[in-house]
């Protein structure tokens, strides 16, 4: 389930939406999922694009970087707790701070 605010409605059936929570998915991923606006059914999503969306990695480096480790966390945890977990991971595996 995703929630957003309609920013703009185009005459060609397109909607520009500011995402508030969740993740919009197309009918290819979730058949039968529909878009409702103020309780009115507007049918299935056929295409989703987020041209300005970037990952955290893209904000800190423009170079391709082959990962040595993958870290994942719950958005329910604090960022400081996640950083502490990463530091402990580095310490336990004797990984150099520069490469971790």
């Amino acid at each position: 389930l995703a929630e957003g605010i309609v920013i703009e409605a185009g005459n060609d059936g397109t909607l520009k939406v500011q995402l508030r929570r969740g993740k919009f998915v197309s009918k290819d991923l979730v058949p039968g999922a529909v878009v409702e606006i103020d309780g009115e059914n507007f049918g299935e999503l056929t295409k989703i694009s987020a041209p300005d969306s970037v990952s955290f990695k893209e904000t800190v480096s423009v170079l391709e970087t082959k990962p040595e480790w993958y870290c994942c966390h719950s958005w329910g945890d604090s960022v400081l707790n996640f950083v502490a977990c990463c530091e402990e991971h580095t310490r336990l595996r004797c990984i150099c701070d520069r490469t971790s």
Side-chain angles (χ1 to χ4, degrees):
L1 177 65
E3 290 182 10
I5 298 171
V6 176
I7 303 298
E8 182 181 318
N11 292 332
D12 58 355
T14 61
L15 282 178
K16 185 174 183 178
V17 177
Q18 179 184 10
L19 182 64
R20 302 298 285 174
R21 72 177 184 98
K23 177 181 174 182
F24 289 105
V25 294
S26 71
K27 67 179 182 178
D28 298 332
L29 294 176
V30 182
V34 297
V35 174
E36 287 187 2
I37 300 174
D38 294 331
E40 185 177 346
N41 182 334
F42 283 83
E44 295 179 315
L45 284 171
T46 56
K47 181 180 175 188
I48 301 169
S49 67
D52 298 327
S53 179
V54 296
S55 70
F56 174 74
K57 189 269 177 204
E58 292 170 303
T59 65
V60 296
S61 175
V62 296
L63 302 175
E64 289 185 16
T65 307
K66 184 176 180 179
E68 293 183 25
W69 295 92
Y70 171 76
C71 293
C72 183
H73 69 95
S74 162
W75 286 109
D77 287 340
S78 75
V79 172
L80 294 178
N81 186 48
F82 175 67
V83 170
C85 288
C86 291
E87 290 173 341
E88 182 66 3
H89 174 90
T90 299
R91 186 188 70 75
L92 289 172
R93 287 159 183 79
C94 300
I95 300 171
C96 171
D97 285 346
R98 195 179 124 269
T99 60
S100 64

